[in-house]
Amino acid sequence: MADLLKDSYGRAIRDLRISLTDRCNFRCFYCLPHGEPPIAPKAQMLSYEEIEYAAEIFVSLGIEKIRLTGGEPMMRRDIETIIRKLSALKPRLRDLALTTNGYFLPGRAHELKAAGLDRITISIDSLKRETFRRMTGVDVLDRVLEGMEAAKRARLTPLKVNAVIVRGHNEEEVTDFAQFAREHDIRMRFIEFMPLDSGHEWSREMVVPGREILERIGARFPLVSVNARRGAETSSRYRFADGAPGEIGIIAPVTEPFCGACSRIRLTADGQIRTCLFSTVEHSLRDTIRSGASRREIIGYIESVVMKKEPRHYINDPGFMQPARTMSFIGG
Ligand code: SAM
């Protein structure tokens, strides 16, 4: 096909992450520790009609996977409508997923499935009540675990669970998480702490390298790689050698960058395209759409923005500058 999105390094762009809101009901210390940042006024946020229009254009340009994120995407009241609209883009859209803190899932998981959501990823940083509270700022581990069960019952599977592993907080728990993955048949993904926190507390010493996480788990549960040639996937994935259910994924953007195969692009809740998590510039698709541009002009704009996609992130370079917006704005 002629009009598939490619950047100037020849990388095909297939994966779009849409942040539905910059608001969140959690206060994770590695993301948004000091409460609400100034929230963009509602008029600046994309409406569901604008999200639908933009997504339809992106899918016509070869986007195959859309992940809804935030902030906490389930804080957006029209999330079921958005899912229903985006689901109409299948089968060209092959995969519609959601990343959530799980708080609102009890009682609502079935609605998400009925609206057309395929899969869900839930963030759970600790299985211990006190550590969970310390890391997320809220004492709601039981409710999140209930949300996980609701997602399973609604068949929003395969279920993924994300844990950001931070030195001095939860690195001792990685084998407990592996056990949890085996017991609940979960794709457990361990994420290195990235410099995207609004508190600017990130330091290299706090990063637990993916390699260390893998070694700790492998010492207790021998693992077998399932995607040695992982292409554009963010995680290196492993199954348990003894055949137990569940899977382990390691996401190591700090110590083992995987930018060369990046197929991702992001749209913030206020309609800015970000070509990298660590971009220091954004491109206003919202203003382009609202200016009355034709579909052809919007496509031209998206193509020109994608050509500006950075070759790689610069976390490990001496002059690295943390982006002004944090993960809660960008959409993790
Ligand atoms: N609120 C939803 C949630 O909790 O999953 C979706 C948005 S959240 C920003 C998406 C993912 O980004 C979560 O798994 C979160 O743990 C991760 N995240 C946030 N800040 C991070 C950081 N500084 N380093 C690594 N991962 C981070």
Side-chain angles (χ1 to χ4, degrees):
M1 271 179 274
D3 55 355
L4 295 189
L5 280 177
K6 271 219 169 123
D7 71 8
S8 62
Y9 302 92
R11 292 173 296 191
I13 307 302
R14 302 249 188 248
D15 195 333
L16 174 66
R17 308 215 167 169
I18 304 178
S19 172
L20 296 187
T21 175
D22 53 15
R23 296 170 59 211
C24 191
N25 55 330
F26 282 24
R27 292 290 170 267
C28 302
F29 80 86
Y30 53 76
C31 186
L32 192 64
H34 303 305
E36 299 279 352
I39 305 261
K42 192 154 185 250
Q44 286 180 21
M45 307 303 239
L46 294 185
S47 65
Y48 80 77
E49 290 94 341
E50 286 169 324
I51 292 174
E52 178 188 11
Y53 183 45
E56 184 272 309
I57 291 178
F58 275 110
V59 169
S60 77
L61 294 174
I63 291 292
E64 295 176 339
K65 287 167 73 172
I66 293 182
R67 176 170 293 281
L68 303 175
T69 178
E72 173 44 50
M74 291 194 72
M75 288 187 79
R76 187 140 168 173
R77 291 208 185 94
D78 54 3
I79 185 166
E80 282 90 2
T81 307
I82 294 172
I83 291 172
R84 207 169 307 113
K85 300 282 181 192
L86 299 191
S87 172
L89 301 173
K90 296 177 194 171
R92 271 193 95 169
L93 176 65
R94 288 181 15 198
D95 188 27
L96 182 57
L98 170 77
T99 302
T100 173
N101 60 32
Y103 182 84
F104 297 103
L105 281 176
R108 281 181 67 194
H110 277 284
E111 290 171 47
L112 299 180
K113 182 73 179 180
L117 189 69
D118 294 317
R119 294 183 302 120
I120 214 159
T121 299
I122 304 175
S123 303
I124 308 180
D125 293 324
S126 175
L127 298 169
K128 297 180 184 156
R129 180 177 168 185
E130 184 48 28
T131 311
F132 184 96
R133 191 197 57 74
R134 223 179 313 119
M135 291 187 75
T136 62
V138 285
D139 187 8
V140 296
L141 173 61
D142 283 349
R143 177 154 171 163
V144 169
L145 292 174
E146 218 181 289
M148 189 188 87
E149 290 304 325
K152 264 181 152 176
R153 281 195 302 276
R155 296 192 195 290
L156 288 161
T157 49
L159 196 64
K160 288 185 187 168
V161 170
N162 278 354
V164 180
I165 304 301
V166 186
R167 183 80 68 207
H169 287 266
N170 58 352
E171 80 265 36
E172 300 297 336
E173 269 193 75
V174 295
T175 48
D176 296 346
F177 273 121
Q179 178 65 39
F180 185 72
R182 292 161 64 91
E183 281 167 12
H184 296 271
D185 191 7
I186 282 167
R187 297 191 176 182
M188 187 66 224
R189 292 142 45 102
F190 299 92
I191 310 178
E192 288 180 347
F193 180 21
M194 293 181 270
L196 287 168
D197 54 319
S198 68
H200 288 255
E201 279 179 21
W202 183 88
S203 72
R204 205 158 284 279
E205 294 68 45
M206 295 170 90
V207 177
V208 182
R211 168 79 19 215
E212 176 182 328
I213 296 168
L214 195 61
E215 282 167 6
R216 279 177 184 256
I217 297 172
R220 168 120 172 252
F221 304 110
L223 298 171
V224 179
S225 169
V226 291
N227 67 342
R229 293 159 58 92
R230 72 179 206 231
E233 283 186 71
T234 46
S235 62
S236 336
R237 293 165 39 213
Y238 301 83
R239 65 173 174 80
F240 294 104
D242 64 3
E247 198 181 276
I248 298 298
I250 307 283
I251 304 181
V254 180
T255 63
E256 297 170 53
F258 38 86
C259 309
C262 183
S263 61
R264 278 170 292 287
I265 192 170
R266 290 179 155 78
L267 186 60
T268 65
D270 57 354
Q272 310 299 306
I273 300 179
R274 294 182 64 95
T275 47
C276 172
L277 258 183
F278 297 95
S279 294
T280 48
V281 283
E282 298 181 337
H283 310 272
S284 188
L285 183 62
R286 178 197 64 207
D287 291 351
T288 307
I289 291 176
R290 290 186 185 174
S291 73
S294 68
R295 183 187 169 88
R296 186 60 250 165
E297 285 164 342
I298 295 171
I299 288 175
Y301 179 72
I302 292 173
E303 286 171 341
S304 72
V305 167
V306 163
M307 287 306 275
K308 295 182 190 146
K309 185 169 164 67
E310 299 78 347
R312 63 181 179 91
H313 69 60
Y314 299 99
I315 304 177
N316 297 311
D317 292 18
F320 171 72
M321 273 182 29
Q322 187 165 334
R325 301 227 267 184
T326 66
M327 199 70 144
S328 61
F329 272 106
I330 299 168

